[in-house]
């Protein structure tokens, strides 16, 4: 199917909603042949549309706007038979210019969509290929936020060819008297910009992601044309070089084969339509487009053009409107914890209820703290992959009040959400209560899995004095509800990783004449002094706290980014205008955070979701507002109650939903219903187990089992009721003739009993032959025969053709038939009861199996936590010994010995073996295993809390 002109495939309206044009999907769905997909993008008014028209020897097709922007922002599509190969189609996607302020939050998603759909991705620009031109292509570095590509070798197999078209070329293609090929020029430009390992830049991204890269230059097409559009210029008036260059582009593009899938598989128009819908759906839900899974989506049915449907040449209707992004794929931060002018903290419930509550994925939480006006927000924006986001102030007044939050898909961890917390600047002179700063710092520690402390200049005693908040944590945080003793030794179990970023660093990284790393610089700054005087103790205290509380430490130093005037508008300044060393340092910092910041966990290693983080925020702030200290143990108990209750509801609803989808009532037998239940129950239990945690005594698991049992009993009852209704209707229908004969007295004449007997026998035969009567079929027949015995006796006694002996024989036969049917009904009920016992046993086995798996997971988390803490303590002991603090090292040895004992106990197989006592598998129901499971849960809690 050919569209005479380009039609809109996607439109981004000025209000920010994305319109997917169903007519365009229908056009694609009608193409059963393989398609070659060419996408072109770039800054506006660079002549993209004209090049695409020339691909098919047309002067018209895509609209040439010459600077006139239509309302909205579109991706245009043009489908034509391939000009050179029969049985193939050419699909051209022309994306409106990427620059400008409109809908900046959605453009990267559309860029990602073009990337995953195309065989050839053309980037069109003017002038030359330099750092400024690369900066304009920064959208490409955001692809990992929307596309999961897998290993480098695999994604190169299915990624498009990258073709850079340089219009009105000013490329310097001469070197040492020789003219370079434009491809070599492009590669020469890209290679110097790669930066250090792990740095993500446009140049590095292009070289790593695109295995095939090409560059074409175009001279000015017609200098004499003035203000005329190119489609208004006669072909003969175009410059000869320009015509040759466009023919070269055409020859290259049309020579590409349409292989797009893994292994060189081809994609048809129908499959492409499905890919478009699949990708847009994933983006709308805030999910990554997984390239390896994308082609599976093409196997489903796709919409087709109805027979005889016309294809409108203009913007078609109807359309469906969807909004790209979900509440937690944010372009701007929101205030999570508000700080009033009076120093009172409160939670912004909209941030919790409308954003965090929608995040069911595990979260990586990075918080930044430090003195005000030290550039914290700039680093947070870099982590979010945005130029703008958290407010960057340029005056001496602090801009951030309270704690602000931005949530984005994690760039390198699939199915994780990256949550960034920008805290109010510490030490603001405008604040009257210094205690308020301590609470802000404590909340940043409690909520994050990585804490970045930001300071200016150097790490000296002044900087340490400003970090006095870390010394106050023992007075602000409780580990156990009972409290009483010094709990600071427990802090390392749940405190975040610590990163110290030093801004405007001007010193050389040298110590005693030798170069040191940034980490070496930090460790030197954290060395302790010998002595017991008050001044020495004051000097050592913040250093001891950092060394003891935080499991890992890292340091980054940053040069000054730019001059004073430039720094006033950092939100508007591209990286190319900043100091190159600072840009590289910021990129190293970002990549380190992406790679090493761990999933936020509770004590015991339980991963935290956005929903759970919201509950923690409410719990901690409520404690502070009520005058109590935030308590880790209490918070986990509260969180466990919330999550486990929600887990019951979610899993029970899923069980009911899945049963409704898989069961067709009435079932022919109880076993048929039971088999479906025994498929669905383990799946629902697994869903419950995945979310629940710290279920002491399996109290919530019992509740879940009761919920499922109640739902199953309700379904079983409905199964019986429906079977009874159907069976009764069948008997009524089959017995209508008998009822009519009774009404007109057919059975009261001589020989009437013989006729009645034959009719009843035929009714029973036909009834038993009817399928899908359900589990109550035998019981309904028994009840029917029992109710008809008095009538049968009356007809038999009234039949004067029968002798007394014959009547007695027939009466005995009827009683035997009723008794036989009664026995059948009893056997059916017995089989149902036996099946219920089998179901209970299977449920017990499933519960034990999943309890075993859950216990193993919890044991692995405990062991991992002990290993991490033990490693940190051993490293700290080694440093103390090297610094000459043998007494401190000996004291730490006692803690290390205790940790080794705890680790050995945590790794003991008996913890799991207790749960899996094989004799329990013979128990008829789940509740008989609860006492043992309860002992295990209580032991784990008491021992390791």
């Amino acid at each position: 199917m050919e569209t005479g002109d380009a039609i809109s495939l996607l439109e981004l309206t000025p209000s920010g909603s994305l319109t997917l044009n169903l007519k365009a999907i229908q056009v694609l769905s009608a193409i059963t042949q393989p398609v070659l997909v060419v996408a072109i993008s770039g800054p506006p008014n660079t002549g993209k549309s004209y090049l695409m028209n020339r691909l098919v020897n047309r002067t018209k097709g895509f609209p040439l706007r010459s600077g006139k922007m239509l309302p909205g922002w579109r991706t245009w599509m043009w489908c034509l038979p391939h000009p050179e190969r029969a049985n193939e189609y050419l699909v051209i996607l022309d994306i409106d210019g990427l620059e400008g302020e409109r809908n900046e939050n959605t453009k990267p998603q559309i860029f990602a969509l073009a990337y995953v759909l195309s065989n050839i991705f053309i980037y069109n620009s003017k002038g030359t290929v330099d750092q400024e031109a690369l900066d304009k292509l920064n959208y490409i570095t955001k692809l990992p936020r929307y596309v999961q590509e897998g290993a480098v070798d695999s994604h190169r197999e299915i990624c498009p060819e990258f073709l850079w078209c340089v219009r009105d070329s000013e490329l310097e293609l001469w070197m040492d008297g020789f003219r370079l090929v434009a491809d070599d020029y492009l590669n020469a430009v890209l290679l110097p910009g790669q930066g250090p390992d792990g740095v993500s830049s446009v140049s590095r991204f292009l070289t790593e992601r695109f295995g095939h890269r090409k560059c074409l230059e175009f001279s000015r097409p017609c200098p004499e044309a003035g203000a005329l559009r190119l489609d208004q210029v006669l072909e003969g008036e175009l410059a000869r070089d320009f015509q040759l260059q466009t023919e070269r582009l055409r020859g290259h593009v049309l020579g590409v084969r349409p292989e797009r899938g893994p292994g060189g598989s081809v994609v048809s128009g129908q499959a492409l339509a499905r890919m478009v819908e699949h990708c847009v759906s994933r983006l709308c839900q805030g999910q990554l487009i997984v390239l390896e899974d994308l082609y599976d989506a093409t196997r489903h049915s796709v919409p087709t053009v109805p027979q005889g449907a016309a294809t409108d040449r203009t913007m078609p209707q109807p359309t469906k409107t969807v909004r790209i992004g979900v509440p937690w794929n944010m372009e701007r931060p929101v205030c999570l914890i508000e700080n009033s002018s009076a120093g009172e903290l409160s939670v912004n419930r909209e941030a919790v209820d409308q954003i965090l509550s929608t995040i069911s994925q595990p979260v990586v939480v990075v918080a930044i703290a430090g003195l005000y006006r030290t550039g914290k927000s700039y680093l947070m924006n870099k982590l979010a992959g945005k130029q703008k986001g958290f407010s960057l102030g340029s005056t001496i007044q602090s801009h951030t009040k309270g704690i602000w939050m931005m949530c984005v898909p994690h760039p390198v961890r699939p199915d994780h959400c990256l949550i960034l917390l920008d805290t109010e600047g510490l030490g603001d002179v405008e604040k009257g209560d210094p205690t308020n700063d301590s609470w802000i710092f404590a909340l940043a520690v409690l909520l994050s899995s990585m804490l970045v402390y930001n300071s200016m200049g150097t790490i000296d005693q002044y900087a340490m004095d400003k970090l006095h908040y870390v010394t106050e944590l023992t007075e602000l945080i409780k580990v156990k509800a009972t409290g009483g003793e010094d709990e600071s030794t427990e802090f390392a179990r749940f405190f975040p990783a610590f990163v110290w970023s030093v801004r405007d660093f001007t010193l050389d990284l040298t110590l005693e004449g030798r170069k040191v790393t940034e980490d070496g610089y930090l460790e030197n700054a954290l060395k302790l002094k010998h002595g017991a005087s008050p001044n020495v103790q004051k000097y050592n205290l913040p250093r001891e706290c950092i060394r003891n509380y935080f499991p890992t430490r890292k340091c980054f130093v940053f040069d000054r980014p730019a001059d004073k005037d430039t720094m006033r508008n950092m939100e508007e300044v591209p990286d190319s205008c900043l100091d190159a060393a600072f840009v590289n340092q910021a990129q190293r910092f970002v990549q380190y955070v992406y790679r090493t910041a761990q999933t936020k966990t509770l004590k015991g290693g339980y991963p935290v979701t956005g929903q759970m983080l919201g509950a923690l925020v409410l719990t901690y702030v409520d404690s502070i507002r009520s005058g109590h200290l935030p308590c880790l143990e209490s918070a986990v108990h509260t969180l466990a109650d919330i999550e486990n209750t929600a887990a019951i509801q979610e899993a029970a609803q899923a069980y009911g939903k899945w049963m409704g989808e898989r069961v067709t009532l009435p079932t022919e037998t109880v076993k048929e219903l039971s088999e479906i239940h025994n498929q669905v129950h383990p799946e629902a239990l697994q869903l419950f187990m995945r979310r629940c945690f710290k279920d002491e005594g399996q109290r919530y698991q019992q509740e879940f089992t009761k919920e499922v049992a109640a739902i199953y009993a309700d379904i079983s009852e409905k199964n019986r009721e429906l079977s009874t209704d159907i069976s009764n209707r069948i008997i009524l229908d089959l017995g209508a003739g008998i009822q009519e004969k009774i009404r007109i007295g057919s059975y009261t004449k001589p020989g009437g009993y013989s006729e009645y007997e034959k009719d009843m026998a035929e009714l029973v035969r036909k009834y038993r032959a009817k399928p899908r009567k359900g589990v109550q079929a035998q019981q309904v027949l028994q009840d029917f025969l029992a109710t008809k015995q008095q009538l049968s006796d009356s007809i038999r006694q009234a039949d004067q053709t029968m002798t007394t002996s014959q009547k007695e024989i027939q009466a005995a036969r009827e009683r035997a038939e009723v008794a036989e049917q009664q026995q059948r009904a009893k056997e059916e009920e017995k089989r149902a009861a036996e099946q219920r016992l089998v179901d209970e046993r299977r449920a017990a086995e499933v519960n034990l199996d999943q309890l075993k798996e859950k216990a193993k997971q919890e044991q692995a988390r405990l062991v991992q936590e002990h290993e991490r803490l033990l490693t940190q303590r051993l490293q700290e002991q080694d440093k103390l010994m090297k610094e000459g603090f043998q007494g401190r090292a000996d004291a730490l040895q006692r803690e290390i010995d205790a940790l080794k004992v705890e680790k050995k106990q945590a790794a003991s197989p008996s913890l799991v073996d207790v749960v899996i006592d094989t004799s329990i598998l013979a128990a008829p129901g789940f509740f008989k295993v609860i006492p043992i499971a309860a002992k295990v849960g209580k032991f784990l809690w008491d021992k390791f809390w």
Side-chain angles (χ1 to χ4, degrees):
M1 175 177 291
E2 177 179 351
T3 54
D5 295 313
I7 64 174
S8 173
L9 174 64
L10 299 165
E11 180 186 2
L12 180 63
T13 67
S15 64
S17 61
L18 186 71
T19 300
L20 177 60
N21 186 359
L22 293 185
K23 182 60 71 68
I25 295 296
Q26 290 178 339
V27 170
L28 285 175
S29 300
I31 301 174
T32 58
Q33 296 91 338
V35 291
L36 173 68
V37 185
V38 181
I40 188 166
S41 182
N45 305 318
T46 55
K48 304 184 304 297
S49 301
Y50 178 81
L51 284 187
M52 294 299 95
N53 293 343
R54 292 301 301 166
L55 278 183
V56 289
N57 277 332
R58 306 282 184 91
T59 57
K60 296 183 183 297
F62 288 108
L64 275 61
R65 287 171 285 282
S66 297
K68 297 179 180 179
M69 297 300 294
L70 301 177
W73 187 69
R74 296 171 174 81
T75 295
W76 299 85
M77 182 187 77
W78 197 6
C79 303
L80 309 100
H82 196 287
E84 297 181 359
R85 290 195 295 269
N87 300 321
E88 287 184 15
Y89 264 71
L90 183 65
V91 176
I92 306 175
L93 303 178
D94 184 7
I95 305 171
D96 279 353
L98 289 174
E99 290 187 343
E101 294 298 319
R102 296 180 305 148
N103 298 309
E104 203 65 23
N105 59 326
T106 313
K107 291 177 184 177
Q109 288 96 319
I110 309 303
F111 192 92
L113 189 63
Y115 169 79
V116 300
L117 296 177
S118 61
N119 301 92
I120 302 177
F121 187 92
I122 301 176
Y123 182 73
N124 199 65
S125 67
K126 282 188 175 183
T128 187
V129 180
D130 54 15
Q131 188 58 49
E132 183 178 356
L134 288 172
D135 287 340
K136 291 181 179 180
L137 191 50
N138 67 335
Y139 294 96
I140 206 166
T141 64
K142 300 181 181 179
L143 284 176
R145 291 172 53 186
Y146 307 105
V147 181
Q148 180 181 327
E149 298 174 286
V152 171
D153 290 339
S154 65
H155 76 240
R156 281 193 173 191
E157 182 183 0
I158 55 179
C159 76
E161 174 184 326
F162 180 81
L163 177 56
W164 195 321
C165 290
V166 185
R167 308 293 294 279
D168 298 352
S169 173
E170 299 173 1
L171 299 181
E172 296 291 336
L173 297 181
W174 291 91
M175 181 179 291
D176 297 330
F178 294 93
R179 181 174 173 82
L180 295 175
V181 178
D183 296 351
D184 294 335
Y185 177 88
L186 175 62
N187 289 327
V189 171
L190 296 180
L191 290 177
Q194 288 188 48
D197 290 341
V199 173
S200 175
S201 64
V202 173
S203 56
R204 185 174 183 83
F205 198 99
L206 288 175
T207 54
E208 287 185 349
R209 294 307 196 276
F210 293 92
H212 303 285
R213 299 181 301 278
K214 191 169 184 63
C215 181
L216 292 176
E217 60 166 346
F218 295 80
S219 59
R220 290 187 180 275
C222 186
E224 298 80 17
L228 291 177
R229 297 198 312 260
L230 283 177
D231 60 344
Q232 297 172 329
V233 178
L234 296 177
E235 186 168 341
E237 296 175 356
L238 294 170
R240 181 174 180 275
D241 287 346
F242 180 79
Q243 293 186 57
L244 292 175
Q245 291 155 356
T246 56
E247 281 302 311
R248 183 182 174 198
L249 170 68
R250 186 174 188 272
H252 174 76
V253 171
L254 297 183
V256 173
R257 292 288 175 178
E259 288 84 8
R260 186 66 180 92
S265 59
V266 297
V267 171
S268 67
Q270 290 179 338
L272 184 66
R274 188 59 187 170
M275 288 168 66
V276 172
E277 292 190 318
H278 175 78
C279 291
V280 171
S281 174
R282 297 282 295 183
L283 291 172
C284 288
Q285 297 173 44
Q287 298 174 337
L288 290 171
I289 300 171
V290 182
L291 287 187
E292 294 178 356
D293 297 339
L294 180 59
Y295 298 94
D296 291 338
T298 66
R299 299 172 186 166
H300 303 289
S301 61
V302 296
T304 57
V305 179
Q307 187 119 17
T311 54
D312 194 351
R313 307 301 190 193
T314 61
M315 177 67 69
Q317 295 294 331
T319 59
K320 63 178 179 182
T321 300
V322 292
R323 189 170 295 277
I324 283 288
V326 292
W328 59 271
N329 189 4
M330 301 165 60
E331 290 295 329
R332 290 287 184 271
V334 298
C335 187
L336 175 63
I337 300 176
E338 298 171 347
N339 192 7
S340 72
S341 58
E344 294 182 351
L345 301 177
S346 61
V347 177
N348 177 10
R349 288 306 300 255
E350 288 187 2
V352 173
D353 297 340
Q354 298 180 16
I355 299 175
L356 289 178
S357 65
T358 69
I359 305 175
S360 58
Q361 293 84 352
V363 295
V364 176
V365 187
V366 180
I368 191 166
L371 300 181
Y372 76 109
R373 305 306 319 126
T374 55
K376 302 185 303 299
S377 300
Y378 177 83
L379 290 181
M380 289 290 101
N381 288 343
K382 282 297 182 185
L383 289 174
K386 303 177 187 304
Q387 185 77 11
K388 298 180 180 180
F390 292 102
S391 175
L392 306 182
S394 58
T395 68
I396 61 172
Q397 187 177 30
S398 175
H399 269 221
T400 305
K401 296 296 182 183
I403 298 180
W404 286 69
M405 173 184 75
M406 186 183 293
C407 309
V408 295
H410 198 288
V412 299
R413 288 175 182 250
D415 301 323
H416 278 64
C417 177
L418 176 62
I419 297 182
L420 304 171
L421 302 179
D422 187 10
T423 66
E424 178 175 340
L426 306 175
D428 188 347
V429 294
E430 296 181 4
K431 285 193 287 189
D433 185 4
T435 306
N436 187 256
D437 280 346
S438 299
W439 283 125
I440 293 289
F441 187 84
L443 285 170
V445 170
L446 288 168
L447 297 175
S448 64
S449 52
M450 176 175 281
L451 176 69
V452 180
Y453 181 73
N454 204 56
S455 68
M456 302 287 283
T458 60
I459 303 178
D460 53 15
Q461 188 56 40
Y462 176 79
M464 285 292 176
D465 289 342
K466 292 297 181 182
L467 190 51
H468 63 87
Y469 307 101
V470 75
T471 68
E472 301 166 2
L473 291 175
T474 55
E475 302 173 6
L476 301 177
I477 298 173
K478 291 173 61 179
V479 177
K480 295 185 178 181
T482 53
E485 73 270 11
D486 179 15
E487 299 179 312
S488 61
T489 56
E490 293 287 309
F491 283 178
R493 291 183 184 271
F494 63 88
F495 266 32
F498 182 80
V499 176
W500 194 324
S501 65
V502 187
R503 309 295 291 276
D504 294 359
F505 185 77
T506 57
L507 302 179
D508 292 330
L509 285 173
T510 58
L511 288 173
E512 299 177 353
R514 59 183 178 84
K515 288 187 175 296
V516 296
T517 64
E518 295 157 304
D519 294 341
Y521 172 68
L522 174 61
E523 293 306 312
N524 181 72
L526 294 177
K527 282 185 177 180
L528 307 179
K529 282 186 177 181
H530 290 271
S533 68
N535 286 338
V536 170
Q537 292 179 11
K538 181 180 178 181
Y539 176 92
N540 286 342
L541 182 57
R543 292 167 172 83
E544 288 180 318
C545 291
I546 294 174
R547 291 169 64 149
N548 291 330
Y549 297 170
F550 297 98
T552 63
R553 301 186 291 275
K554 181 73 177 175
C555 180
F556 285 92
V557 299
F558 296 86
D559 290 1
R560 188 173 179 85
D563 57 56
K564 186 176 181 180
D565 290 337
T566 302
M567 290 177 63
R568 287 195 179 99
N569 300 294
M570 288 283 282
E571 289 182 342
E572 309 295 336
V573 177
D575 285 351
S576 59
C577 296
L578 300 178
D579 180 78
F582 173 82
V583 172
N584 284 334
Q585 291 158 353
Q587 290 174 336
R588 283 197 309 112
F589 167 80
V590 168
Q591 289 302 313
Y592 173 81
V593 173
Y594 286 165
R595 291 195 310 269
T596 64
Q598 299 298 306
T599 304
K600 171 67 178 173
T601 58
L602 301 173
K603 188 173 182 292
Y606 296 99
V608 173
T609 64
Q611 297 160 340
M612 296 166 70
L613 185 69
L616 284 176
V617 171
L618 293 170
T619 301
Y620 291 144
V621 174
D622 284 348
S623 296
I624 295 171
R625 288 175 59 86
S626 62
H628 299 104
L629 299 183
C631 175
L632 269 293
E633 184 181 65
S634 299
V636 171
H637 276 300
T638 301
L639 195 56
D641 286 340
I642 295 171
E643 279 296 294
N644 294 344
T645 300
I648 292 173
Q649 184 178 9
E650 179 185 13
Q653 287 178 349
Y655 171 83
K657 177 176 178 289
W658 294 337
M659 286 293 288
E661 292 171 348
R662 302 183 195 183
V663 175
T664 301
L665 298 179
T667 60
E668 196 67 26
T669 63
V670 172
K671 185 177 182 181
E672 182 182 338
L673 179 62
S674 170
E675 287 175 347
I676 299 174
H677 162 74
N678 289 325
Q679 293 171 5
V680 173
H681 171 245
E683 297 173 13
L685 178 60
Q686 190 175 40
L687 183 63
F688 167 81
M689 288 289 201
R690 195 157 47 235
R691 187 168 182 179
C692 83
F693 71 100
K694 290 200 178 299
D695 184 11
E696 296 181 72
Q698 277 60 56
R699 177 167 63 92
Y700 292 99
Q701 191 171 349
Q702 289 186 49
E703 287 298 319
F704 167 73
T705 301
K706 291 178 182 178
E707 287 286 330
V708 169
I711 296 172
Y712 185 40
D714 184 57
I715 294 173
S716 299
E717 182 60 29
K718 289 179 180 178
N719 195 38
R720 287 190 292 270
E721 291 175 355
L722 189 56
S723 172
T724 300
D725 291 344
I726 291 174
S727 298
N728 280 326
R729 282 201 304 270
I730 291 174
I731 285 184
L732 286 174
D733 291 342
L734 293 175
I738 295 176
Q739 289 297 114
E740 179 62 19
K741 287 186 176 182
I742 292 173
R743 188 183 69 80
I744 63 177
S746 295
Y747 300 133
T748 57
K749 62 185 180 182
Y753 177 77
S754 177
E755 182 179 355
Y756 172 76
E757 182 186 23
K758 289 178 182 178
D759 289 344
M760 285 294 292
E762 182 66 11
L763 181 150
V764 171
R765 185 189 67 79
K766 289 182 177 180
Y767 174 83
R768 287 175 173 163
K770 286 279 187 180
R772 305 302 301 177
K773 296 185 296 294
V775 296
Q776 291 293 100
Q778 299 296 341
Q779 185 64 49
V780 168
L781 181 58
Q782 176 202 330
D783 294 342
F784 173 75
L785 294 178
T787 59
K788 295 299 181 183
Q789 272 199 287
Q790 186 176 0
L791 174 64
S792 179
D793 289 343
S794 299
I795 295 173
R796 187 173 56 254
Q797 293 300 327
D799 192 339
Q800 298 178 357
T801 64
M802 297 178 66
T803 64
T804 301
S805 175
Q806 288 174 328
K807 290 179 181 180
E808 290 176 355
I809 292 173
Q810 289 298 327
R813 184 189 59 77
E814 283 186 15
R815 287 194 296 273
E817 288 178 352
V818 170
E820 180 185 359
Q821 182 57 40
Q822 187 176 19
Q823 184 60 32
R824 288 185 180 184
K826 286 182 179 179
E827 289 175 356
E828 185 64 34
E829 185 59 35
K830 180 182 177 182
R831 283 193 293 270
E834 290 173 347
Q835 189 62 57
R836 285 192 289 272
L837 290 176
V838 171
D839 291 342
E840 289 178 0
R841 168 170 284 189
R842 286 180 179 173
E845 293 173 355
V846 169
N847 276 285
L848 281 170
D849 288 343
Q850 297 209 21
L851 277 175
K852 175 182 178 180
E853 188 60 32
K854 188 79 171 177
K856 285 182 177 179
Q857 292 172 1
E858 293 183 356
Q859 183 182 40
R861 291 192 186 104
L862 284 170
V863 172
Q864 186 178 22
E865 183 178 280
H866 280 82
E867 287 177 346
R868 179 175 59 83
L869 186 58
L870 188 58
T871 299
Q872 190 266 342
R873 286 296 188 252
L874 288 169
Q875 291 173 346
E876 182 61 24
Q877 184 187 48
D878 183 61
K879 290 177 182 177
L880 288 171
M881 294 176 68
K882 289 179 179 178
E883 294 172 14
F885 292 95
Q886 188 62 48
R888 293 174 185 264
D890 292 341
L892 192 56
Q893 183 62 47
R894 291 189 289 273
E895 184 183 345
I896 291 172
D897 291 339
L899 283 172
K900 288 180 178 178
V901 173
E902 290 184 10
K903 178 187 171 184
K904 184 177 180 180
Q905 292 174 336
S908 171
S910 63
L911 289 180
V912 176
D913 291 341
V914 168
V915 183
I916 310 305
D917 186 337
T918 53
S919 64
I920 298 178
L921 293 176
F926 165 76
F927 297 104
K928 291 189 177 182
V929 309
I930 291 301
I932 291 182
K935 291 177 183 177
V936 175
K938 188 174 188 306
F939 174 77
L940 291 173
W941 179 268
D942 293 342
K943 189 65 181 175
F944 300 111
W945 267 95

